[in-house]
Amino acid sequence: MHTSNIVRRAMDYMEEFLDEPLDLSDIAKTAGVSVAHLYRVFYSLTGHPVKEYIRKRRTSEAAGLLRTTDLGAMDIAIRCGFETYRAFLKAFKRYTGLTPTEYRDAESFFSFERLPLEDSGTSHEKQVFGQHAHSDIRIVRLPPRKGIGYLHVSEREDGLEEDALKRFRACLAARGQELCDMSVFGWNVDLDEGRPLFGYQLLAPDIPFGPGGIVHPELKPVDLQGGVFASCRARALSAEQIVEDWNRLYSGWLPGSRFEPASDRLFEQFVFKGDQIMQVHLYLPVVRSRKTQPIEIVELKPVDVLAFRAEGSGSIIRADQAAIEWLKSSGWDGDDGFAVFMSWRKATTDDEPSACEVFIALPQGYRRSPADNGRLTRLDGGLYACLASEAGGTMTGVLAVLNRWLEASADYSPDAGRSWFIRYLPQSNGSTQLSSSRFRSYAFCCVPITRSHG
């Protein structure tokens, strides 16, 4: 039986008896597996232990009743299957950050709907977020690695990894060492040199450095911390495809996975066959998320912005780069005076290609040049459902969460007359990377809504 079918049967049983005591042995029996096996496959497919999933579903149902009925909190706790009122209060505070009384009057929403599963497959990553499947993404544990490393520094970001590998191989070859049939790890490094520089650190594990090993003025001993990672293989070796797969992992899979980033040390593994790179694997450090971001209903003011648009393949990267070039030409020094937004649309037909727009809101007092007038547009104000996330990029997973919430909401409906967008908060390092940034401190996904009348 497919893993997804096992979990689907378990979920069907949970939903049917969510308001009653649920025994794990009964759930496992219904799914046709042992309790131990249920624990394993349920977590691998959903990112949740079985008991925690049940508590979150019950909390979500209770949150809905608090908003739509006048029932007392104790009555709601019983109706939603909590064994005790104390257990209800503890779970509700943990997942919403509010007491039931506070939640009734708050402008935030907690929603944890049944997780969708595809008809076949064996992993949680085959859920569909924003129409992207993530069947190849795995949660893996890697040991710490030590070896010899090289830090490549450049004034340009384009081709950074390729140039770093080329120089690293040359340094090793000068000391009689080749990278044949090996794996090399690499990651971006923030450099604080008072000028725009890009750094990329490489590590060839298990090659000794110093007496008895390799000595070279550009090579140093380097450690790579181990831990738990979300990982996938890049579907092609081009730089554009690797960036797209980072976005798929970080922006598409992560928000719906119930994991969160453990650190900003994202790294790539270059797998050599002979002296040629045959595969690139991506690794995102993660921990199980202990927090649930609420959906905020916000009245936003309209914003005048400059728009940078690109269409077709690679539109996100090209729109991003156009905005970066404009920022550089404007004399931007890395402060947070410019607010950055982004919106994108997937291709639906050959006549309507995919498109991306990066928007820059100008700081007060900034004088536009005549050339800027052709880019001037406005982001509509009004009522929005907003969800914050550490995930940047296209935020497909966050957008999917908002859309599922809207489908289940009796109070709000999507407003097709306005466009959704992402607002990025500035990064602390003053980076000029915008929507394609591999790691972003925080962003808000905002979907236009209207109040339902019934």
Side-chain angles (χ1 to χ4, degrees):
M1 184 188 301
H2 280 304
T3 301
S4 58
N5 289 334
I6 294 172
V7 175
R8 182 178 292 105
R9 287 187 178 185
M11 285 183 173
D12 288 344
Y13 184 84
M14 293 176 198
E15 293 299 317
E16 184 177 357
F17 299 103
L18 195 62
D19 58 349
E20 300 179 21
L22 283 170
D23 188 278
L24 289 182
S25 61
D26 291 336
I27 300 173
K29 183 179 179 180
T30 301
V33 296
S34 67
V35 172
H37 189 59
L38 176 65
Y39 263 113
R40 288 193 296 271
V41 299
F42 196 92
Y43 182 79
S44 69
L45 205 62
T46 69
H48 300 271
V50 178
K51 289 185 177 180
E52 182 172 311
Y53 179 87
I54 294 170
R55 284 194 295 268
K56 285 188 174 181
R57 282 291 297 119
R58 285 172 169 166
T59 301
S60 181
E61 294 297 302
L65 290 175
L66 283 167
R67 284 287 169 78
T68 58
T69 74
D70 295 326
L71 292 172
M74 185 174 294
D75 192 6
I76 288 174
I78 295 172
R79 291 189 180 213
C80 292
F82 287 94
E83 294 183 3
T84 67
Y85 184 59
R86 181 179 180 182
F88 167 63
L89 292 178
K90 182 178 179 180
F92 200 89
K93 180 71 173 180
R94 176 182 177 185
Y95 298 131
T96 71
L98 302 169
T99 67
T101 300
E102 291 170 338
Y103 183 83
R104 267 192 156 132
D105 298 325
E107 276 296 314
S108 62
F109 288 80
F110 175 80
S111 178
F112 185 83
E113 303 303 319
R114 172 175 172 161
L115 295 179
L117 299 174
E118 287 192 331
D119 291 336
S120 62
T122 58
S123 72
H124 159 60
E125 293 75 32
K126 283 197 173 180
Q127 294 181 36
V128 177
F129 296 107
Q131 306 301 314
H132 291 286
H134 309 298
S135 58
D136 59 327
I137 297 174
R138 297 288 185 270
I139 302 298
V140 299
R141 183 179 294 275
L142 296 183
R145 308 301 294 267
K146 294 184 178 182
I148 194 166
Y150 164 69
L151 176 61
H152 186 73
V153 179
S154 175
E155 293 185 350
R156 65 187 186 94
E157 188 178 18
D158 293 341
L160 183 67
E161 294 88 345
E162 294 87 344
D163 292 345
L165 282 165
K166 183 178 180 180
R167 183 57 190 162
F168 190 31
R169 297 176 75 168
C171 292
L172 290 171
R175 296 297 187 265
Q177 177 69 53
E178 300 292 337
L179 293 178
C180 294
D181 298 322
M182 295 181 61
S183 288
V184 174
F185 299 93
W187 58 92
N188 291 84
V189 176
D190 290 330
L191 300 174
D192 186 13
E193 303 290 341
R195 58 195 179 101
L197 290 176
F198 300 94
Y200 196 74
Q201 177 71 59
L202 289 168
L203 163 67
D206 307 323
I207 298 180
F209 180 85
I214 291 179
V215 177
H216 189 284
E218 296 182 57
L219 304 179
K220 306 291 182 184
V222 174
D223 295 349
L224 179 60
Q225 186 177 359
V228 177
F229 298 85
S231 177
C232 69
R233 192 174 90 176
R235 291 171 289 185
L237 300 183
S238 68
E240 182 176 304
Q241 181 62 61
I242 291 173
V243 170
E244 183 176 323
D245 280 311
W246 269 121
N247 190 52
R248 181 170 65 95
L249 175 64
Y250 194 75
S251 305
W253 172 83
L254 182 63
S257 70
R258 312 306 173 183
F259 287 87
E260 62 186 53
S263 74
D264 59 358
R265 177 60 62 83
L266 319 182
F267 66 86
E268 294 145 341
Q269 179 187 23
F270 302 92
V271 181
F272 285 84
K273 183 70 172 179
D275 63 351
Q276 298 295 316
I277 297 175
M278 300 302 293
Q279 297 177 11
V280 178
H281 295 266
L282 314 181
Y283 292 90
L284 168 68
V286 294
V287 294
R288 278 199 27 236
S289 178
R290 293 295 182 184
K291 58 187 179 182
T292 303
Q293 290 289 349
I295 295 172
E296 303 281 349
I297 306 302
V298 181
E299 186 78 32
L300 298 179
K301 295 180 178 180
V303 181
D304 290 328
V305 294
L306 299 183
F308 301 83
R309 180 182 174 88
E311 295 184 353
S313 177
S315 59
I316 293 176
I317 296 174
R318 289 185 286 110
D320 202 41
Q321 192 59 43
I324 290 171
E325 293 302 321
W326 182 89
L327 282 172
K328 290 178 179 178
S329 67
S330 73
W332 184 59
D333 60 2
D335 65 20
D336 60 357
F338 294 87
V340 179
F341 305 80
M342 192 268 279
S343 186
W344 57 270
R345 184 193 69 238
K346 285 197 64 179
T348 53
T349 65
D350 292 339
D351 296 330
E352 191 175 359
S354 59
C356 174
E357 287 185 289
V358 174
F359 306 100
I360 297 178
L362 305 178
Q364 188 174 7
Y366 181 86
R367 283 189 158 186
R368 298 194 311 270
S369 70
D372 292 336
N373 292 333
R375 296 187 179 275
L376 191 62
T377 187
R378 170 170 285 198
L379 294 179
D380 293 326
L383 202 62
Y384 287 82
C386 301
L387 184 58
S389 174
E390 291 184 353
T394 57
M395 292 180 75
T396 53
V398 180
L399 181 61
V401 170
L402 283 167
N403 286 335
R404 287 202 302 271
W405 174 80
L406 274 173
E407 288 175 1
S409 175
D411 300 317
Y412 298 97
S413 303
D415 184 351
R418 294 177 289 147
S419 297
W420 74 276
F421 57 83
I422 301 162
R423 175 173 181 175
Y424 297 113
L425 297 190
Q427 301 182 91
S428 59
N429 62 5
S431 170
T432 56
Q433 295 186 46
L434 301 178
S435 60
S436 63
S437 173
R438 291 186 182 177
F439 194 91
R440 184 171 300 283
S441 58
Y442 231 52
F444 289 89
C445 187
C446 303
V447 175
I449 59 175
T450 59
R451 296 185 188 276
S452 300
H453 300 286

